[in-house]
PDB file of all heavy atoms in Angstrom:
ATOM      1  N   ILE A 253     -53.226  -6.684-126.793  1.00 95.00           N
ATOM      2  CA  ILE A 253     -52.726  -7.510-127.896  1.00 95.00           C
ATOM      3  C   ILE A 253     -53.839  -7.775-128.917  1.00 95.00           C
ATOM      4  O   ILE A 253     -54.957  -8.127-128.549  1.00 95.00           O
ATOM      5  CB  ILE A 253     -52.190  -8.862-127.362  1.00 95.00           C
ATOM      6  CG1 ILE A 253     -51.121  -8.640-126.291  1.00 95.00           C
ATOM      7  CG2 ILE A 253     -51.656  -9.723-128.501  1.00 95.00           C
ATOM      8  CD1 ILE A 253     -49.833  -8.032-126.768  1.00 95.00           C
ATOM      9  N   PHE A 254     -53.521  -7.593-130.189  1.00 96.00           N
ATOM     10  CA  PHE A 254     -54.454  -7.993-131.246  1.00 96.00           C
ATOM     11  C   PHE A 254     -53.661  -8.584-132.415  1.00 96.00           C
ATOM     12  O   PHE A 254     -52.471  -8.324-132.581  1.00 96.00           O
ATOM     13  CB  PHE A 254     -55.340  -6.829-131.707  1.00 96.00           C
ATOM     14  CG  PHE A 254     -54.607  -5.716-132.413  1.00 96.00           C
ATOM     15  CD1 PHE A 254     -54.409  -5.742-133.786  1.00 96.00           C
ATOM     16  CD2 PHE A 254     -54.126  -4.622-131.695  1.00 96.00           C
ATOM     17  CE1 PHE A 254     -53.744  -4.715-134.434  1.00 96.00           C
ATOM     18  CE2 PHE A 254     -53.453  -3.595-132.333  1.00 96.00           C
ATOM     19  CZ  PHE A 254     -53.261  -3.635-133.711  1.00 96.00           C
ATOM     20  N   THR A 255     -54.345  -9.416-133.214  1.00 96.00           N
ATOM     21  CA  THR A 255     -53.710 -10.067-134.362  1.00 96.00           C
ATOM     22  C   THR A 255     -54.426  -9.647-135.642  1.00 96.00           C
ATOM     23  O   THR A 255     -55.655  -9.626-135.682  1.00 96.00           O
ATOM     24  CB  THR A 255     -53.743 -11.600-134.203  1.00 96.00           C
ATOM     25  OG1 THR A 255     -52.980 -11.950-133.051  1.00 96.00           O
ATOM     26  CG2 THR A 255     -53.155 -12.306-135.405  1.00 96.00           C
ATOM     27  N   ALA A 256     -53.645  -9.308-136.660  1.00 96.00           N
ATOM     28  CA  ALA A 256     -54.189  -8.852-137.935  1.00 96.00           C
ATOM     29  C   ALA A 256     -53.931  -9.893-139.017  1.00 96.00           C
ATOM     30  O   ALA A 256     -52.821 -10.420-139.129  1.00 96.00           O
ATOM     31  CB  ALA A 256     -53.543  -7.524-138.322  1.00 96.00           C
ATOM     32  N   ALA A 257     -54.961 -10.196-139.816  1.00 96.00           N
ATOM     33  CA  ALA A 257     -54.847 -11.137-140.931  1.00 96.00           C
ATOM     34  C   ALA A 257     -54.615 -10.337-142.205  1.00 96.00           C
ATOM     35  O   ALA A 257     -55.455  -9.525-142.591  1.00 96.00           O
ATOM     36  CB  ALA A 257     -56.124 -11.961-141.052  1.00 96.00           C
ATOM     37  N   ASN A 258     -53.480 -10.582-142.865  1.00 94.00           N
ATOM     38  CA  ASN A 258     -53.045  -9.708-143.948  1.00 94.00           C
ATOM     39  C   ASN A 258     -53.088 -10.380-145.316  1.00 94.00           C
ATOM     40  O   ASN A 258     -53.090 -11.603-145.416  1.00 94.00           O
ATOM     41  CB  ASN A 258     -51.631  -9.224-143.640  1.00 94.00           C
ATOM     42  CG  ASN A 258     -51.321  -7.910-144.305  1.00 94.00           C
ATOM     43  OD1 ASN A 258     -50.999  -7.864-145.473  1.00 94.00           O
ATOM     44  ND2 ASN A 258     -51.445  -6.820-143.552  1.00 94.00           N
ATOM     45  N   GLU A 259     -53.090  -9.540-146.358  1.00 93.00           N
ATOM     46  CA  GLU A 259     -53.098 -10.030-147.739  1.00 93.00           C
ATOM     47  C   GLU A 259     -51.744 -10.617-148.153  1.00 93.00           C
ATOM     48  O   GLU A 259     -51.661 -11.324-149.149  1.00 93.00           O
ATOM     49  CB  GLU A 259     -53.446  -8.880-148.696  1.00 93.00           C
ATOM     50  CG  GLU A 259     -54.899  -8.512-148.724  1.00 93.00           C
ATOM     51  CD  GLU A 259     -55.735  -9.438-149.590  1.00 93.00           C
ATOM     52  OE1 GLU A 259     -55.246  -9.898-150.621  1.00 93.00           O
ATOM     53  OE2 GLU A 259     -56.885  -9.693-149.220  1.00 93.00           O
ATOM     54  N   ASP A 260     -50.657 -10.271-147.421  1.00 92.00           N
ATOM     55  CA  ASP A 260     -49.328 -10.746-147.823  1.00 92.00           C
ATOM     56  C   ASP A 260     -49.007 -12.124-147.246  1.00 92.00           C
ATOM     57  O   ASP A 260     -47.831 -12.467-147.042  1.00 92.00           O
ATOM     58  CB  ASP A 260     -48.249  -9.732-147.446  1.00 92.00           C
ATOM     59  CG  ASP A 260     -48.121  -9.540-145.937  1.00 92.00           C
ATOM     60  OD1 ASP A 260     -48.882 -10.189-145.201  1.00 92.00           O
ATOM     61  OD2 ASP A 260     -47.269  -8.751-145.498  1.00 92.00           O
ATOM     62  N   TYR A 261     -50.042 -12.917-146.972  1.00 92.00           N
ATOM     63  CA  TYR A 261     -49.967 -14.319-146.517  1.00 92.00           C
ATOM     64  C   TYR A 261     -49.571 -14.442-145.043  1.00 92.00           C
ATOM     65  O   TYR A 261     -49.469 -15.559-144.537  1.00 92.00           O
ATOM     66  CB  TYR A 261     -48.977 -15.178-147.338  1.00 92.00           C
ATOM     67  CG  TYR A 261     -49.034 -15.036-148.832  1.00 92.00           C
ATOM     68  CD1 TYR A 261     -48.042 -15.584-149.631  1.00 92.00           C
ATOM     69  CD2 TYR A 261     -50.080 -14.368-149.459  1.00 92.00           C
ATOM     70  CE1 TYR A 261     -48.082 -15.475-151.019  1.00 92.00           C
ATOM     71  CE2 TYR A 261     -50.126 -14.244-150.844  1.00 92.00           C
ATOM     72  CZ  TYR A 261     -49.130 -14.794-151.619  1.00 92.00           C
ATOM     73  OH  TYR A 261     -49.179 -14.667-152.971  1.00 92.00           O
ATOM     74  N   ASN A 262     -49.322 -13.329-144.349  1.00 94.00           N
ATOM     75  CA  ASN A 262     -48.853 -13.385-142.954  1.00 94.00           C
ATOM     76  C   ASN A 262     -49.923 -12.899-141.988  1.00 94.00           C
ATOM     77  O   ASN A 262     -50.887 -12.242-142.379  1.00 94.00           O
ATOM     78  CB  ASN A 262     -47.609 -12.514-142.758  1.00 94.00           C
ATOM     79  CG  ASN A 262     -46.440 -13.004-143.573  1.00 94.00           C
ATOM     80  OD1 ASN A 262     -46.418 -14.149-144.010  1.00 94.00           O
ATOM     81  ND2 ASN A 262     -45.459 -12.135-143.781  1.00 94.00           N
ATOM     82  N   LEU A 263     -49.708 -13.226-140.704  1.00 95.00           N
ATOM     83  CA  LEU A 263     -50.511 -12.631-139.631  1.00 95.00           C
ATOM     84  C   LEU A 263     -49.557 -11.869-138.721  1.00 95.00           C
ATOM     85  O   LEU A 263     -48.428 -12.317-138.481  1.00 95.00           O
ATOM     86  CB  LEU A 263     -51.244 -13.708-138.833  1.00 95.00           C
ATOM     87  CG  LEU A 263     -52.316 -14.470-139.611  1.00 95.00           C
ATOM     88  CD1 LEU A 263     -51.870 -15.904-139.801  1.00 95.00           C
ATOM     89  CD2 LEU A 263     -53.640 -14.441-138.878  1.00 95.00           C
ATOM     90  N   TYR A 264     -50.011 -10.731-138.221  1.00 96.00           N
ATOM     91  CA  TYR A 264     -49.161  -9.892-137.379  1.00 96.00           C
ATOM     92  C   TYR A 264     -49.823  -9.701-136.017  1.00 96.00           C
ATOM     93  O   TYR A 264     -50.962  -9.235-135.945  1.00 96.00           O
ATOM     94  CB  TYR A 264     -48.933  -8.532-138.036  1.00 96.00           C
ATOM     95  CG  TYR A 264     -48.278  -8.635-139.387  1.00 96.00           C
ATOM     96  CD1 TYR A 264     -49.039  -8.587-140.560  1.00 96.00           C
ATOM     97  CD2 TYR A 264     -46.907  -8.829-139.510  1.00 96.00           C
ATOM     98  CE1 TYR A 264     -48.457  -8.705-141.803  1.00 96.00           C
ATOM     99  CE2 TYR A 264     -46.305  -8.958-140.748  1.00 96.00           C
ATOM    100  CZ  TYR A 264     -47.083  -8.889-141.891  1.00 96.00           C
ATOM    101  OH  TYR A 264     -46.496  -9.024-143.126  1.00 96.00           O
TER     102      TYR A 264
END
Side-chain angles (χ1 to χ4, degrees):
I253 304 293
F254 67 89
T255 297
N258 205 279
E259 284 280 325
D260 64 359
Y261 315 169
N262 297 341
L263 294 112
Y264 301 98

